[in-house]
Amino acid sequence: MTTPAPLDDANLATRRITRLSVGVAVVLIALKAFALGASGSVSILASLTDSALDLAASLATFFAVRWAAAPPDPEHRYGHGKGEALAALVQSGLVFASAIFIGWEALQRVLDPRPVTAGAWATGVVIASIVITAGLVFMQTRALKKTGSLAVAGDRAHYAADLAANAVVLVGVVSGAFLGAPGLDAAAGLVVAVWLFWGAVGMLRAAADHLLDRAAPEQDLTAITRAVLEDPRISGVHQLRTRMAGQVMMIQMHVDLDPALTLEAAHAIVVEAETRVLSHYPTADLLIHADPRGLDQARDGVQAATPAQPLDVAPPDSDVPAEAVRAPAAPKGPWS
């Protein structure tokens, strides 16, 4: 698991990589428009259309990450992080449209093959596109490791698909221009369309998970729980909730403390637990509610927990499988 960068550094990294993404899209469009005019290749047309939509998607990402980085305000108390998911949703829609257009055009060329002219120019442009796109994907991968940005992940996903698609386009151009097989050029366009459609499905799923507040992966939930339970004064964690808002993980939980503790002592224990969690997830927005140990269980007719019998999770050094840990009691309200 990669520890995310502090939020300011992460926002700076996303702004930089989105500027680069827009610049690359503009360069690729210019190159491919020239190659299309010279060759008439349907593969080049497919790739040019994809790059044009890449520019639209990159612009959406460019503005979305800046909006998502804006601090909370009275109307958006949890910040604007969902803007990244909206950008990914726009990206997936554009890629779906691209796949449909390219598939239709390629199908027409399969039924009515046309020769590919100026093959040398077209081949050179495709090779240049592959090199430029590979460099961008490499830079996006580095930025993604630092930020975990959903918008950058969506941008990287469609440029990674472009990288593979350009390789297919290269096969189509070479086949149509040098091997006298224009039908292969059209077939390559169909392969690109299918590839883009599949990539759009993946982006749509990721955006939907984000917008519908899908919980963090199990490994993150385990890491959070273990960090909290490092303090033996905390005997249990329950009602742990997580969701993502852009690059910020929202974390809420209840912890069980000795009911004899003073409010000041309980507060100090909770603050220490928050510090331990934030050392693993420095961009998290964390809320921990302290419960007097045994109060909820007694009210619900459940035996109070002891250090040897934890409430909902095994202690950090436990060998008890996750599936064997008792599920938490039913909540009493939507945020109880």
Side-chain angles (χ1 to χ4, degrees):
M1 178 182 62
T2 303
T3 301
L7 194 55
D8 289 343
D9 291 343
N11 289 334
L12 179 61
T14 56
R15 288 195 292 269
R16 286 174 175 171
I17 197 63
T18 53
R19 282 197 300 267
L20 179 61
S21 176
V22 170
V24 166
V26 171
V27 171
L28 291 178
I29 286 173
L31 287 173
K32 292 175 183 179
F34 169 77
L36 177 64
S39 67
S41 166
V42 70
S43 293
I44 294 292
L45 173 63
S47 189
L48 173 61
T49 303
D50 183 40
S51 291
L53 288 173
D54 284 347
L55 176 60
S58 293
L59 285 171
T61 303
F62 178 86
F63 291 109
V65 297
R66 284 154 179 77
W67 186 69
D73 56 42
E75 289 76 32
H76 304 89
R77 300 298 294 169
Y78 288 98
H80 303 79
K82 296 289 185 180
E84 292 198 9
L86 289 174
L89 200 63
V90 170
Q91 287 174 334
S92 64
L94 291 172
V95 176
F96 272 126
S98 175
I100 293 172
F101 173 78
I102 293 170
W104 174 256
E105 194 67 24
L107 185 60
Q108 298 302 309
R109 293 292 184 94
V110 168
L111 300 175
D112 181 21
R114 301 176 191 175
V116 175
T117 58
W121 280 107
T123 301
V125 166
V126 174
I127 292 174
S129 298
I130 290 174
V131 172
I132 294 172
T133 304
L136 176 61
V137 170
F138 174 75
M139 297 297 293
Q140 288 175 323
T141 301
R142 291 181 58 185
L144 193 57
K145 288 180 179 179
K146 288 184 63 177
T147 68
S149 167
L150 181 63
V152 173
D155 215 30
R156 179 186 176 276
H158 72 247
Y159 277 107
D162 288 350
L163 190 58
N166 281 329
V168 176
V169 169
L170 181 61
V171 172
V173 170
V174 171
S175 300
F178 303 113
L179 302 181
L184 289 179
D185 174 56
L190 282 174
V191 172
V192 172
V194 173
W195 185 277
L196 290 174
F197 190 87
W198 183 252
V201 170
M203 283 192 288
L204 182 61
R205 287 175 178 170
D209 284 345
H210 202 94
L211 292 171
L212 295 175
D213 291 335
R214 184 181 179 90
E218 186 66 31
Q219 63 195 41
D220 290 322
L221 300 180
T222 300
I224 292 168
T225 300
R226 289 182 182 278
V228 172
L229 290 179
E230 286 178 9
D231 188 339
R233 295 172 296 178
I234 300 177
S235 58
V237 175
H238 57 284
Q239 297 183 28
L240 172 60
R241 293 182 174 92
T242 59
R243 62 187 179 93
M244 296 300 299
Q247 301 170 43
V248 177
M249 182 187 294
M250 302 289 184
I251 306 172
Q252 298 180 2
M253 72 184 78
H254 288 216
V255 298
D256 297 294
L257 302 177
D258 186 343
L261 289 170
T262 64
L263 177 60
E264 183 177 2
H267 173 73
I269 293 172
V270 169
V271 169
E272 291 174 11
E274 291 174 343
T275 301
R276 291 193 300 274
V277 173
L278 291 173
S279 68
H280 295 282
Y281 302 91
T283 65
D285 186 309
L286 180 60
L287 177 63
I288 300 179
H289 175 80
D291 283 337
R293 184 170 59 237
L295 179 63
D296 287 344
Q297 288 68 36
R299 181 182 61 197
D300 297 335
V302 180
Q303 180 181 358
T306 65
Q309 181 186 342
L311 283 173
D312 306 314
V313 296
D317 56 350
S318 173
D319 293 328
V320 179
E323 60 270 19
V325 178
R326 182 173 61 80
K332 297 296 178 291
W335 292 104
S336 61

